Amino acid sequence: FSGYKLIGSHSGVKLCRWTKSMLRGRGGCYKHTFYGIESHRCMEATPSLACANKCVFCWRHHTNPVGTEWRWKMDQPEVILQEAIENHQNMIKQFKGVSGVKADRFEEAMAAKHCALSLVGEPIMYPEINRFVKLLHQHGISSFLVTNAQFPDEIRNLEPVTQLYVSVDASTKESLKRIDRPLFKDFWQRFLDSLKALSEKQQRTVYRLTLVKAWNVDELRAYADLIALGKPDFVEVKGVTYCGDSSASSLTMANVPWHEEVVRFVQELADLVPDYEIACEHEHSNCLLIAHKKFKVDGEWCTWINYGRFQELVREHERSGGAKTFTAADYAAKTPRWALFGSRERGFDPLDVRYQRKNKARDISGC
């Protein structure tokens, strides 16, 4: 099952390759570059393995169940989180004393500080998603929740999360059907409604665009329209990652765009959305970040997150019964120079050392 540990009847947790990379001082993922996540302290999990899409580039090769509604025996959020943390810690423990693993990072990694709810499936389908997210915050863990834009009501009802992602894998009805292969008949209306719901959120919101060469790069203007609809704080653009041959997908290496092609696409897209600019780059992941200009304060980008401040704000929000609201600007932090687009490091943290593999076998999984 792609190396992830099953929890109960519908959840899972996995050790991301970037967690292992950062333990060894070999660099973090693009979320480290864009938002200051500490990759060695990040837990990749989901409370719902099920999904309402069968995307052609899914790296899980469709081993997970699909469905349009919740139909499983429901495990309690407390149990899921406890088991996720235990499983995560057990996977980290296997790196104790391993060559290259930094002792201080190993100690830090034992206490997860971030949770990427993007492992597989559709976390927002889990009926107790709000309770689960609140529990994460009570444990001092930030929440990065990814949804496939098929559940607009659930997006509206979602309590504050540190950062809410929506996957925007195509910009027209036809290409979305071809790429995401959604199960819902009214998938396009749900998609548009989900983006509208996103525009009403006060906390940080992100569009994730996955570029599949020869499929969805010709739709620039339509993408720009979708950005105007959902008004996300950020747009991440990533070249699709090829996950090996699979009977579940017709994707080949020919569909993987080169980094320079992704850069060109992003520059053209940024020109079409007047309130946005390219802010950051993570060349290693073939990924760029377009940010709303409101995150450029006195000429300085503030795409990073003040995680301590977020936890304070979310506690105040809960104590006030939801009356005390807060916005993305309230927990923004300055982006370091090395993370900015055009920097010499191209998004690679100078505290770490880039490692070049001798053999070509790569673990490409990860969010």
Side-chain angles (χ1 to χ4, degrees), residues 165-195:
Y165 286 81
V166 44
S167 295
V168 179
D169 300 326
S171 61
T172 66
K173 185 175 178 178
E174 294 66 37
S175 57
L176 190 73
K177 190 174 175 69
R178 196 169 68 239
I179 289 173
D180 279 6
R181 299 188 293 195
L183 301 186
F184 282 111
K185 294 277 180 284
D186 60 340
F187 69 92
W188 184 245
Q189 196 52 52
R190 284 173 167 272
F191 179 73
L192 296 177
D193 285 349
S194 293
L195 299 187

mmCIF file of all heavy atoms in Angstrom, residues 165-195:
data_model
loop_
_atom_site.group_PDB
_atom_site.id
_atom_site.type_symbol
_atom_site.label_atom_id
_atom_site.label_comp_id
_atom_site.label_asym_id
_atom_site.label_seq_id
_atom_site.Cartn_x
_atom_site.Cartn_y
_atom_site.Cartn_z
ATOM 1 N N TYR A 165 -5.760 23.925 1.038
ATOM 2 C CA TYR A 165 -5.396 23.738 -0.368
ATOM 3 C C TYR A 165 -6.577 23.202 -1.144
ATOM 4 O O TYR A 165 -7.302 22.346 -0.653
ATOM 5 C CB TYR A 165 -4.335 22.653 -0.503
ATOM 6 C CG TYR A 165 -2.959 23.006 -0.081
ATOM 7 C CD1 TYR A 165 -2.596 22.978 1.256
ATOM 8 C CD2 TYR A 165 -1.997 23.340 -1.028
ATOM 9 C CE1 TYR A 165 -1.300 23.275 1.644
ATOM 10 C CE2 TYR A 165 -0.708 23.635 -0.648
ATOM 11 C CZ TYR A 165 -0.364 23.602 0.692
ATOM 12 O OH TYR A 165 0.902 23.895 1.068
ATOM 13 N N VAL A 166 -6.698 23.632 -2.380
ATOM 14 C CA VAL A 166 -7.624 22.956 -3.276
ATOM 15 C C VAL A 166 -6.876 22.625 -4.562
ATOM 16 O O VAL A 166 -6.109 23.434 -5.071
ATOM 17 C CB VAL A 166 -8.914 23.775 -3.494
ATOM 18 C CG1 VAL A 166 -8.654 25.188 -3.727
ATOM 19 C CG2 VAL A 166 -9.754 23.219 -4.583
ATOM 20 N N SER A 167 -7.033 21.388 -5.002
ATOM 21 C CA SER A 167 -6.361 20.933 -6.211
ATOM 22 C C SER A 167 -7.114 21.443 -7.433
ATOM 23 O O SER A 167 -8.293 21.135 -7.602
ATOM 24 C CB SER A 167 -6.303 19.399 -6.241
ATOM 25 O OG SER A 167 -5.499 18.947 -5.189
ATOM 26 N N VAL A 168 -6.429 22.219 -8.251
ATOM 27 C CA VAL A 168 -7.012 22.728 -9.493
ATOM 28 C C VAL A 168 -6.194 22.104 -10.616
ATOM 29 O O VAL A 168 -5.189 22.643 -11.052
ATOM 30 C CB VAL A 168 -6.955 24.276 -9.535
ATOM 31 C CG1 VAL A 168 -7.533 24.804 -10.840
ATOM 32 C CG2 VAL A 168 -7.711 24.865 -8.349
ATOM 33 N N ASP A 169 -6.622 20.924 -11.036
ATOM 34 C CA ASP A 169 -5.806 20.124 -11.955
ATOM 35 C C ASP A 169 -6.080 20.435 -13.416
ATOM 36 O O ASP A 169 -5.405 19.923 -14.304
ATOM 37 C CB ASP A 169 -6.052 18.630 -11.711
ATOM 38 C CG ASP A 169 -5.698 18.237 -10.288
ATOM 39 O OD1 ASP A 169 -4.749 18.819 -9.744
ATOM 40 O OD2 ASP A 169 -6.378 17.366 -9.722
ATOM 41 N N ALA A 170 -7.089 21.249 -13.674
ATOM 42 C CA ALA A 170 -7.441 21.611 -15.049
ATOM 43 C C ALA A 170 -8.306 22.856 -14.980
ATOM 44 O O ALA A 170 -8.814 23.200 -13.915
ATOM 45 C CB ALA A 170 -8.204 20.468 -15.721
ATOM 46 N N SER A 171 -8.477 23.514 -16.114
ATOM 47 C CA SER A 171 -9.217 24.778 -16.069
ATOM 48 C C SER A 171 -10.500 24.762 -16.891
ATOM 49 O O SER A 171 -11.219 25.753 -16.930
ATOM 50 C CB SER A 171 -8.313 25.915 -16.552
ATOM 51 O OG SER A 171 -7.907 25.674 -17.881
ATOM 52 N N THR A 172 -10.795 23.653 -17.542
ATOM 53 C CA THR A 172 -12.055 23.552 -18.283
ATOM 54 C C THR A 172 -12.762 22.259 -17.905
ATOM 55 O O THR A 172 -12.131 21.316 -17.420
ATOM 56 C CB THR A 172 -11.833 23.531 -19.809
ATOM 57 O OG1 THR A 172 -11.126 22.323 -20.151
ATOM 58 C CG2 THR A 172 -11.036 24.744 -20.282
ATOM 59 N N LYS A 173 -14.046 22.228 -18.130
ATOM 60 C CA LYS A 173 -14.845 21.057 -17.773
ATOM 61 C C LYS A 173 -14.309 19.801 -18.463
ATOM 62 O O LYS A 173 -14.178 18.743 -17.844
ATOM 63 C CB LYS A 173 -16.305 21.306 -18.176
ATOM 64 C CG LYS A 173 -17.252 20.200 -17.752
ATOM 65 C CD LYS A 173 -18.701 20.550 -18.070
ATOM 66 C CE LYS A 173 -19.617 19.402 -17.684
ATOM 67 N NZ LYS A 173 -21.037 19.720 -17.928
ATOM 68 N N GLU A 174 -13.982 19.936 -19.734
ATOM 69 C CA GLU A 174 -13.535 18.772 -20.510
ATOM 70 C C GLU A 174 -12.214 18.224 -19.975
ATOM 71 O O GLU A 174 -12.045 17.025 -19.794
ATOM 72 C CB GLU A 174 -13.377 19.140 -21.997
ATOM 73 C CG GLU A 174 -14.680 19.489 -22.698
ATOM 74 C CD GLU A 174 -15.329 20.782 -22.174
ATOM 75 O OE1 GLU A 174 -14.596 21.739 -21.845
ATOM 76 O OE2 GLU A 174 -16.576 20.806 -22.063
ATOM 77 N N SER A 175 -11.257 19.135 -19.728
ATOM 78 C CA SER A 175 -9.947 18.653 -19.280
ATOM 79 C C SER A 175 -10.004 18.141 -17.847
ATOM 80 O O SER A 175 -9.296 17.202 -17.495
ATOM 81 C CB SER A 175 -8.881 19.742 -19.442
ATOM 82 O OG SER A 175 -9.235 20.900 -18.744
ATOM 83 N N LEU A 176 -10.876 18.725 -17.022
ATOM 84 C CA LEU A 176 -10.999 18.225 -15.645
ATOM 85 C C LEU A 176 -11.545 16.792 -15.655
ATOM 86 O O LEU A 176 -11.075 15.933 -14.903
ATOM 87 C CB LEU A 176 -11.922 19.127 -14.811
ATOM 88 C CG LEU A 176 -11.913 18.825 -13.313
ATOM 89 C CD1 LEU A 176 -10.617 19.287 -12.658
ATOM 90 C CD2 LEU A 176 -13.094 19.474 -12.595
ATOM 91 N N LYS A 177 -12.503 16.558 -16.535
ATOM 92 C CA LYS A 177 -13.075 15.202 -16.635
ATOM 93 C C LYS A 177 -11.998 14.207 -17.075
ATOM 94 O O LYS A 177 -11.902 13.096 -16.573
ATOM 95 C CB LYS A 177 -14.235 15.208 -17.631
ATOM 96 C CG LYS A 177 -15.055 13.911 -17.626
ATOM 97 C CD LYS A 177 -16.278 14.053 -18.530
ATOM 98 C CE LYS A 177 -17.054 12.766 -18.643
ATOM 99 N NZ LYS A 177 -17.735 12.389 -17.386
ATOM 100 N N ARG A 178 -11.143 14.652 -17.992
ATOM 101 C CA ARG A 178 -10.113 13.771 -18.527
ATOM 102 C C ARG A 178 -8.999 13.508 -17.508
ATOM 103 O O ARG A 178 -8.471 12.409 -17.438
ATOM 104 C CB ARG A 178 -9.527 14.419 -19.788
ATOM 105 C CG ARG A 178 -8.719 13.494 -20.669
ATOM 106 C CD ARG A 178 -8.424 14.136 -22.006
ATOM 107 N NE ARG A 178 -7.507 15.263 -21.904
ATOM 108 C CZ ARG A 178 -7.800 16.500 -22.289
ATOM 109 N NH1 ARG A 178 -8.985 16.774 -22.790
ATOM 110 N NH2 ARG A 178 -6.909 17.462 -22.173
ATOM 111 N N ILE A 179 -8.649 14.531 -16.739
ATOM 112 C CA ILE A 179 -7.498 14.418 -15.849
ATOM 113 C C ILE A 179 -7.881 13.875 -14.466
ATOM 114 O O ILE A 179 -7.233 12.977 -13.946
ATOM 115 C CB ILE A 179 -6.785 15.780 -15.732
ATOM 116 C CG1 ILE A 179 -6.089 16.078 -17.069
ATOM 117 C CG2 ILE A 179 -5.751 15.779 -14.605
ATOM 118 C CD1 ILE A 179 -5.489 17.455 -17.159
ATOM 119 N N ASP A 180 -8.948 14.422 -13.857
ATOM 120 C CA ASP A 180 -9.329 13.973 -12.508
ATOM 121 C C ASP A 180 -10.268 12.767 -12.520
ATOM 122 O O ASP A 180 -10.416 12.098 -11.510
ATOM 123 C CB ASP A 180 -10.010 15.114 -11.745
ATOM 124 C CG ASP A 180 -8.996 16.080 -11.144
ATOM 125 O OD1 ASP A 180 -7.795 15.900 -11.421
ATOM 126 O OD2 ASP A 180 -9.403 16.994 -10.417
ATOM 127 N N ARG A 181 -10.903 12.521 -13.647
ATOM 128 C CA ARG A 181 -11.867 11.421 -13.764
ATOM 129 C C ARG A 181 -12.808 11.352 -12.548
ATOM 130 O O ARG A 181 -12.844 10.357 -11.817
ATOM 131 C CB ARG A 181 -11.109 10.098 -13.956
ATOM 132 C CG ARG A 181 -10.272 10.119 -15.233
ATOM 133 C CD ARG A 181 -9.670 8.798 -15.566
ATOM 134 N NE ARG A 181 -8.666 8.398 -14.614
ATOM 135 C CZ ARG A 181 -7.785 7.409 -14.823
ATOM 136 N NH1 ARG A 181 -7.810 6.741 -15.956
ATOM 137 N NH2 ARG A 181 -6.904 7.097 -13.921
ATOM 138 N N PRO A 182 -13.555 12.445 -12.311
ATOM 139 C CA PRO A 182 -14.406 12.522 -11.118
ATOM 140 C C PRO A 182 -15.586 11.557 -11.180
ATOM 141 O O PRO A 182 -16.060 11.205 -12.260
ATOM 142 C CB PRO A 182 -14.893 13.966 -11.116
ATOM 143 C CG PRO A 182 -14.757 14.427 -12.521
ATOM 144 C CD PRO A 182 -13.649 13.648 -13.147
ATOM 145 N N LEU A 183 -16.063 11.170 -9.995
ATOM 146 C CA LEU A 183 -17.201 10.256 -9.921
ATOM 147 C C LEU A 183 -18.535 10.995 -9.948
ATOM 148 O O LEU A 183 -19.543 10.445 -10.377
ATOM 149 C CB LEU A 183 -17.124 9.426 -8.628
ATOM 150 C CG LEU A 183 -15.876 8.567 -8.414
ATOM 151 C CD1 LEU A 183 -16.052 7.711 -7.171
ATOM 152 C CD2 LEU A 183 -15.586 7.668 -9.609
ATOM 153 N N PHE A 184 -18.533 12.227 -9.439
ATOM 154 C CA PHE A 184 -19.789 12.989 -9.407
ATOM 155 C C PHE A 184 -20.222 13.387 -10.808
ATOM 156 O O PHE A 184 -19.403 13.851 -11.606
ATOM 157 C CB PHE A 184 -19.625 14.271 -8.575
ATOM 158 C CG PHE A 184 -19.664 14.061 -7.098
ATOM 159 C CD1 PHE A 184 -18.522 14.241 -6.338
ATOM 160 C CD2 PHE A 184 -20.846 13.701 -6.453
ATOM 161 C CE1 PHE A 184 -18.548 14.078 -4.952
ATOM 162 C CE2 PHE A 184 -20.882 13.534 -5.077
ATOM 163 C CZ PHE A 184 -19.730 13.715 -4.326
ATOM 164 N N LYS A 185 -21.517 13.264 -11.083
ATOM 165 C CA LYS A 185 -22.041 13.704 -12.393
ATOM 166 C C LYS A 185 -21.964 15.235 -12.507
ATOM 167 O O LYS A 185 -21.689 15.772 -13.574
ATOM 168 C CB LYS A 185 -23.517 13.274 -12.554
ATOM 169 C CG LYS A 185 -23.710 11.755 -12.623
ATOM 170 C CD LYS A 185 -23.460 11.229 -14.030
ATOM 171 C CE LYS A 185 -23.654 9.725 -14.130
ATOM 172 N NZ LYS A 185 -22.520 8.966 -13.545
ATOM 173 N N ASP A 186 -22.231 15.925 -11.400
ATOM 174 C CA ASP A 186 -22.214 17.402 -11.418
ATOM 175 C C ASP A 186 -20.856 17.937 -10.972
ATOM 176 O O ASP A 186 -20.759 18.961 -10.294
ATOM 177 C CB ASP A 186 -23.340 17.950 -10.531
ATOM 178 C CG ASP A 186 -23.207 17.496 -9.076
ATOM 179 O OD1 ASP A 186 -22.499 16.493 -8.814
ATOM 180 O OD2 ASP A 186 -23.808 18.138 -8.197
ATOM 181 N N PHE A 187 -19.804 17.239 -11.377
ATOM 182 C CA PHE A 187 -18.449 17.549 -10.889
ATOM 183 C C PHE A 187 -18.019 18.983 -11.186
ATOM 184 O O PHE A 187 -17.343 19.618 -10.385
ATOM 185 C CB PHE A 187 -17.426 16.562 -11.478
ATOM 186 C CG PHE A 187 -17.193 16.724 -12.952
ATOM 187 C CD1 PHE A 187 -16.180 17.545 -13.428
ATOM 188 C CD2 PHE A 187 -18.008 16.073 -13.881
ATOM 189 C CE1 PHE A 187 -15.966 17.710 -14.788
ATOM 190 C CE2 PHE A 187 -17.809 16.234 -15.243
ATOM 191 C CZ PHE A 187 -16.774 17.059 -15.698
ATOM 192 N N TRP A 188 -18.429 19.532 -12.344
ATOM 193 C CA TRP A 188 -17.949 20.867 -12.710
ATOM 194 C C TRP A 188 -18.591 21.945 -11.827
ATOM 195 O O TRP A 188 -17.916 22.866 -11.371
ATOM 196 C CB TRP A 188 -18.217 21.144 -14.194
ATOM 197 C CG TRP A 188 -17.650 22.462 -14.659
ATOM 198 C CD1 TRP A 188 -18.344 23.549 -15.098
ATOM 199 C CD2 TRP A 188 -16.260 22.830 -14.727
ATOM 200 N NE1 TRP A 188 -17.481 24.568 -15.426
ATOM 201 C CE2 TRP A 188 -16.194 24.156 -15.218
ATOM 202 C CE3 TRP A 188 -15.068 22.164 -14.422
ATOM 203 C CZ2 TRP A 188 -14.990 24.836 -15.404
ATOM 204 C CZ3 TRP A 188 -13.857 22.846 -14.607
ATOM 205 C CH2 TRP A 188 -13.838 24.160 -15.088
ATOM 206 N N GLN A 189 -19.894 21.795 -11.565
ATOM 207 C CA GLN A 189 -20.573 22.740 -10.676
ATOM 208 C C GLN A 189 -19.991 22.665 -9.272
ATOM 209 O O GLN A 189 -19.764 23.673 -8.611
ATOM 210 C CB GLN A 189 -22.084 22.455 -10.647
ATOM 211 C CG GLN A 189 -22.911 23.597 -10.075
ATOM 212 C CD GLN A 189 -22.611 24.947 -10.735
ATOM 213 O OE1 GLN A 189 -22.639 25.075 -11.957
ATOM 214 N NE2 GLN A 189 -22.301 25.968 -9.933
ATOM 215 N N ARG A 190 -19.736 21.439 -8.820
ATOM 216 C CA ARG A 190 -19.127 21.247 -7.493
ATOM 217 C C ARG A 190 -17.743 21.897 -7.433
ATOM 218 O O ARG A 190 -17.364 22.485 -6.427
ATOM 219 C CB ARG A 190 -18.990 19.754 -7.187
ATOM 220 C CG ARG A 190 -20.296 19.091 -6.801
ATOM 221 C CD ARG A 190 -20.155 17.586 -6.668
ATOM 222 N NE ARG A 190 -21.325 17.044 -5.999
ATOM 223 C CZ ARG A 190 -21.445 16.935 -4.676
ATOM 224 N NH1 ARG A 190 -20.462 17.300 -3.874
ATOM 225 N NH2 ARG A 190 -22.550 16.462 -4.145
ATOM 226 N N PHE A 191 -17.002 21.750 -8.514
ATOM 227 C CA PHE A 191 -15.664 22.324 -8.615
ATOM 228 C C PHE A 191 -15.733 23.848 -8.485
ATOM 229 O O PHE A 191 -15.045 24.450 -7.650
ATOM 230 C CB PHE A 191 -15.065 21.894 -9.959
ATOM 231 C CG PHE A 191 -13.686 22.415 -10.254
ATOM 232 C CD1 PHE A 191 -12.579 21.912 -9.594
ATOM 233 C CD2 PHE A 191 -13.491 23.384 -11.231
ATOM 234 C CE1 PHE A 191 -11.298 22.381 -9.890
ATOM 235 C CE2 PHE A 191 -12.219 23.851 -11.532
ATOM 236 C CZ PHE A 191 -11.122 23.346 -10.860
ATOM 237 N N LEU A 192 -16.605 24.482 -9.281
ATOM 238 C CA LEU A 192 -16.740 25.940 -9.245
ATOM 239 C C LEU A 192 -17.250 26.416 -7.888
ATOM 240 O O LEU A 192 -16.763 27.410 -7.336
ATOM 241 C CB LEU A 192 -17.675 26.422 -10.363
ATOM 242 C CG LEU A 192 -17.183 26.176 -11.801
ATOM 243 C CD1 LEU A 192 -18.239 26.622 -12.800
ATOM 244 C CD2 LEU A 192 -15.853 26.901 -12.066
ATOM 245 N N ASP A 193 -18.218 25.682 -7.314
ATOM 246 C CA ASP A 193 -18.753 26.047 -5.994
ATOM 247 C C ASP A 193 -17.684 25.926 -4.913
ATOM 248 O O ASP A 193 -17.647 26.710 -3.961
ATOM 249 C CB ASP A 193 -19.949 25.157 -5.630
ATOM 250 C CG ASP A 193 -21.207 25.540 -6.412
ATOM 251 O OD1 ASP A 193 -21.195 26.604 -7.053
ATOM 252 O OD2 ASP A 193 -22.191 24.772 -6.375
ATOM 253 N N SER A 194 -16.821 24.940 -5.063
ATOM 254 C CA SER A 194 -15.743 24.753 -4.080
ATOM 255 C C SER A 194 -14.782 25.933 -4.115
ATOM 256 O O SER A 194 -14.311 26.406 -3.069
ATOM 257 C CB SER A 194 -14.976 23.454 -4.363
ATOM 258 O OG SER A 194 -15.791 22.327 -4.134
ATOM 259 N N LEU A 195 -14.480 26.419 -5.327
ATOM 260 C CA LEU A 195 -13.578 27.564 -5.447
ATOM 261 C C LEU A 195 -14.225 28.819 -4.872
ATOM 262 O O LEU A 195 -13.566 29.629 -4.204
ATOM 263 C CB LEU A 195 -13.183 27.786 -6.915
ATOM 264 C CG LEU A 195 -12.443 26.616 -7.594
ATOM 265 C CD1 LEU A 195 -11.969 27.024 -8.975
ATOM 266 C CD2 LEU A 195 -11.270 26.123 -6.757
#
